[in-house]
Amino acid sequence: MADRILTGIKPTGKLTLGNYIGVLKHLNEMTDRGEAFIFIADLHALTLPIDPNELRQNSIDLACFYLAAGLDPEKAVLFLQSEVSAHSELNSIMQNYLYMGELSRMTQFKDKSAKMKENAIGLGLFAYPVLMACDIVLYNATVVPVGEDQVQHVELTRDLVNRFNNRYGDILQMPKAEMRKVGARIMSLSNPTIKMSKSDPKGDIFLKDDLAVVRKKIMSAVTDTGCEVKYDVENKPGISNLLTIYAALKDISIEEAEAHFVGYRYGDFKKEVADVVCEDLGKFQEKYHYFLDNKLYEEVLKKGAKRANEESQKLLKKVKQAVGLLTVSE
Ligand code: ATP
Ligand code: LTN
């Protein structure tokens, strides 16, 4: 059976090299394995305060990022989550099958809520994984390409599928998370023990950064004592992170990257990493501007919403029927 690929990214801010390497860059080759549903998780973006104009602009940007990364709209369905109402409808049903205890154990919720005042934590942030599970099961996804931080949410989706199917029969498809072998967790350049994250912009490379800025950021990335370019996450987290970035962009293994840099000094090593990042990002940025300036995203998103609406209604109907919701109209 062909795979069914599904993934989403939140339009919450400037995308980073982490998002690019972890997910974006490889989406196109995944579409060779089966039909892909790729979306802009704009409803998820509302789970933390965001300015409306910024959200709209970020959504356009993200559509262009997907296209610039090589996503082929003939092979993949690209759409805005909020334009497909089945996500929210299924959410109303599925919220009854995931429990407070398990939701409160989600690392993303714990991390994000820890930075907030208790009386300002929205219910949506807590219930986030319910909507994410709905995104996944609505399209009978078998493979969910994500970075490492999202694997826990996909595991919870798997629990939901088991629970729901045990009760109602074989309704939901079992998905599985798929991470990049190299690059599932790109670390911050200023603190290589934490994830490079768009909500924590120190040490980030943003996809729209000027290439001169990108080069400067890499040249001043935190490195480690010693002088050997070796992959050793515990003792050389900074060097290991740069090696990972290089290997992921070159599509080679860490061992191959290490072998390439034998005998290099840190300065020359960083320069070569910067060359590779700038070359890749430079091409990516050109394509991004092409899709943005010609507004090519509009037609793609319209067509995508139509197809996603058709497809998601099928599963929604099945679920409504399974749980006993009566349909008389239609
Ligand atoms: P935030 O930091 O605001 O939570 P995020 O970047 O983690 O944002 P998304 O933009 O929705 O969240 O993530 C999109 C995809 O990119 C997810 O699959 C996520 O796992 C992946 N991703 C995010 N950061 C990294 C990283 N540093 N390395 C590899 N993959 C990443
Ligand atoms: N939670 C993800 C974004 C996201 C997603 C999804 C990813 C929302 N729905 C469904 C994969 C499948 C994030 O924060 N990166």
Side-chain angles (χ1 to χ4, degrees), residues 2-21:
D3 279 321
R4 171 62 70 85
I5 321 288
L6 176 132
T7 199
I9 299 183
K10 285 174 290 175
T12 42
K14 302 190 255 175
L15 257 67
T16 71
L17 190 67
N19 301 124
Y20 181 64
I21 290 178

Side-chain angles (χ1 to χ4, degrees), residues 31 45 47 55-56 91 107 114 160 192-193 197 211 217 219-220 257 262-263 272 320:
T31 60
T47 57
L55 175 54
R56 265 186 290 273
N91 186 60
T107 311
L160 172 74
T193 60
S197 154
L211 295 184
K217 284 184 181 173
M219 292 311 289
S220 52
V262 168
E272 208 162 311
K320 283 169 90 170

Side-chain angles (χ1 to χ4, degrees), residues 12-59:
T12 42
K14 302 190 255 175
L15 257 67
T16 71
L17 190 67
N19 301 124
Y20 181 64
I21 290 178
V23 181
L24 272 177
K25 195 174 155 58
H26 300 280
L27 279 182
N28 189 36
E29 73 196 33
M30 300 212 65
T31 60
D32 293 336
R33 290 163 48 181
E35 193 174 17
F37 287 82
I38 310 292
F39 67 99
I40 295 163
D42 51 358
L43 291 171
H44 278 111
L46 291 174
T47 57
L48 290 175
I50 186 161
D51 173 79
N53 286 325
E54 225 173 273
L55 175 54
R56 265 186 290 273
Q57 198 51 50
N58 290 344
S59 298

Side-chain angles (χ1 to χ4, degrees), residues 6-10 19 39 41 44 81 108 112 128 131-133 135-136 144-146 149-150 153-154:
L6 176 132
T7 199
I9 299 183
K10 285 174 290 175
N19 301 124
F39 67 99
H44 278 111
Q81 184 185 31
Q108 180 169 302
K112 301 227 154 156
Y128 183 110
L131 181 57
M132 177 158 165
D135 300 336
I136 295 171
V144 185
V146 281
D149 59 318
Q150 294 301 314
H153 290 155
V154 181

Side-chain angles (χ1 to χ4, degrees), residues 161-225:
V161 169
N162 272 327
R163 193 172 295 158
F164 194 89
N165 286 353
N166 278 336
R167 182 144 170 206
Y168 297 107
D170 213 3
I171 308 278
L172 307 179
Q173 170 71 46
M174 184 62 78
K176 86 173 182 301
E178 195 168 287
M179 280 189 291
R180 301 299 312 161
K181 273 205 199 75
V182 177
R185 191 172 167 84
I186 300 297
M187 310 307 271
S188 156
L189 295 181
S190 60
N191 177 0
T193 60
I194 60 167
K195 184 188 92 153
M196 184 183 279
S197 154
K198 55 182 139 96
S199 358
D200 188 15
K202 276 186 283 147
D204 253 339
I205 288 181
F206 295 115
L207 298 184
K208 290 207 290 189
D209 273 350
D210 191 84
L211 295 184
V213 174
V214 172
R215 184 170 290 279
K216 211 164 147 205
K217 284 184 181 173
I218 295 178
M219 292 311 289
S220 52
V222 168
T223 43
D224 321 283
T225 50

